[in-house]
Amino acid sequence: MEEEDLKLKGRTANRLTVVKSILSEFIEKREGDRLGLVLFGEKAYLQTPLTFDLKTVQFMLDETVIGLAGASRTAIGDGIGLSIKRLRERPAENRVLILLTDGRNNSGELDPIEAA
């Protein structure tokens, strides 16, 4: 996510900045939906539990920095697993998981396919 190989509003930006911009637009349009935010680096980390409070989700996204969930590694399977654990209590028709990553699984306990 540190790699500065993308453009945002005509300027070079790192991947995290671009992802945060895209997610901000998504959050803005989710009125009436419950959202949560799971971060993953070396480990998976629950940044925001499921909530209707989109302002808090946006604030917690804004506060997200590289390294918050550990070293610059990618525990995709652990991120999926933690997300599923949080969604398990919701009715099946209300469960949606959107995974955004810039890498391949190279950390964590769970294999991404197994977790999914």
Side-chain angles (χ1 to χ4, degrees), residues 81-94:
L82 180 56
S83 299
I84 289 171
K85 182 179 177 182
R86 304 305 295 196
L87 288 170
R88 188 174 287 149
E89 302 159 7
R90 309 296 316 145
E93 64 274 5
N94 292 338

Side-chain angles (χ1 to χ4, degrees), residues 20-35:
K20 286 167 74 170
S21 176
I22 292 166
L23 282 175
S24 292
E25 291 177 27
F26 179 79
I27 291 167
E28 189 177 301
K29 296 175 183 174
R30 302 314 323 158
E31 189 174 322
D33 289 343
R34 186 176 290 175
L35 297 180

Side-chain angles (χ1 to χ4, degrees), residues 58-91:
Q58 182 62 57
F59 176 80
M60 296 306 284
L61 175 63
D62 293 341
E63 293 296 306
T64 298
V65 294
I66 294 169
L68 191 60
S72 292
R73 302 203 36 93
T74 310
I76 296 171
D78 290 0
I80 293 169
L82 180 56
S83 299
I84 289 171
K85 182 179 177 182
R86 304 305 295 196
L87 288 170
R88 188 174 287 149
E89 302 159 7
R90 309 296 316 145

Side-chain angles (χ1 to χ4, degrees), residues 6 20 24 39 57 84 110:
L6 299 173
K20 286 167 74 170
S24 292
L39 308 176
V57 176
I84 289 171
L110 291 172

